[in-house]
Amino acid sequence: MKEKLKKGVIGFIILAALIVVPYTIANASARYYVLYLLDVWSVDSGKHLDWNGNTNYMSNWNTGVQTWNNYKSGVIRKDGAFTINDVTISDVNSLTANTVALTNQTYRNPGKSISATVQFSKTEMDKLSTVKKNIACSHEIGHLLGLDENKNDGTNLIMFNIIAYNTSNNVLHNIDKFHYDYMYNNKY
Ligand SMILES: [Zn+2]
């Protein structure tokens, strides 16, 4: 989280990146009381996340949308004529080294984002298998839902932030669902 200097215009920006480089994982004891949540989310008060934009990875994005909507139906929707945009997706040639995708959420106070974008690095995405592309999309959507990186509850979480380790499949872990439930029931 980084404070911008133009106070009163934009308060904060959260940048959350999915990376490819493995690192050593420290052992962590059970931490039942820790919630891995962001101060910002992009779901509106009607409990919808309305997206628009374009990407080369549209089938993967749609799979990511379906992954979350299969758990809570109808939350994530493509922008229509009567919806207000919550996030715009796009591709860039590359991001910071080793970054697959980047979610950028701008907000004044903790709560619903003022604006949000997801950018995919074509350089890194093109190296990934289909299942990993799907995981990358599901992971970024998790940030839009208000979920933070979770480095402590297992590499098979969608919200684990290193896709080199998150190789199992594009399936929500019970802990991903727990955090989404918390956001859905308490924050949106
Ligand atoms: Zn992330």
Side-chain angles (χ1 to χ4, degrees):
M1 194 167 65
K2 182 175 165 185
E3 192 165 4
K4 281 205 74 169
L5 296 177
K6 286 185 181 176
K7 201 176 176 191
V9 179
I10 292 171
F12 301 94
I13 296 175
I14 279 187
L15 296 168
L18 182 69
I19 60 176
V20 290
V21 178
Y23 66 92
T24 304
I25 302 171
N27 287 321
S29 53
R31 299 165 65 186
Y32 294 106
Y33 54 91
V34 174
L35 288 169
Y36 295 91
L37 300 172
L38 300 173
D39 287 338
V40 60
W41 51 90
S42 300
V43 181
D44 58 40
S45 58
K47 296 190 192 279
H48 290 120
L49 172 63
D50 297 309
W51 66 270
N52 66 22
N54 278 299
T55 172
N56 287 350
Y57 315 102
M58 194 57 81
S59 65
N60 310 102
W61 175 261
N62 286 329
T63 298
V65 167
Q66 205 57 48
T67 299
W68 291 101
N69 278 351
N70 282 345
Y71 182 57
K72 292 185 192 298
S73 65
V75 174
I76 308 165
R77 310 180 300 187
K78 184 153 195 325
D79 257 343
F82 303 102
T83 56
I84 296 169
N85 171 255
D86 296 310
V87 58
T88 301
I89 64 173
S90 65
D91 296 334
V92 295
N93 287 328
S94 61
L95 294 161
T96 308
N98 302 314
T99 300
V100 172
L102 182 69
T103 294
N104 181 336
Q105 292 165 289
T106 302
Y107 64 104
R108 285 196 185 87
N109 300 299
K112 167 69 168 66
S113 58
I114 299 163
S115 65
T117 61
V118 174
Q119 294 175 307
F120 294 101
S121 163
K122 288 189 276 191
T123 300
E124 297 298 340
M125 283 291 280
D126 286 346
K127 296 175 186 170
L128 300 181
S129 66
T130 298
V131 68
K132 284 190 182 179
K133 288 187 181 88
N134 292 343
I135 291 169
C137 292
S138 297
H139 179 99
E140 298 310 313
I141 292 169
H143 288 314
L144 298 169
L145 298 172
L147 279 56
D148 200 356
E149 318 292 354
N150 185 334
K151 299 172 185 174
N152 290 316
D153 291 325
T155 57
N156 54 348
L157 266 65
I158 289 294
M159 294 318 295
F160 191 79
N161 70 323
I162 304 166
I163 202 153
Y165 286 159
N166 191 341
T167 54
S168 50
N169 45 41
N170 179 47
V171 173
L172 299 184
H173 189 284
N174 281 340
I175 294 171
D176 295 313
K177 293 177 182 175
F178 173 81
H179 286 83
Y180 186 23
D181 286 344
Y182 184 91
M183 291 301 298
Y184 191 92
N185 294 326
N186 297 286
K187 299 288 187 177
Y188 305 153

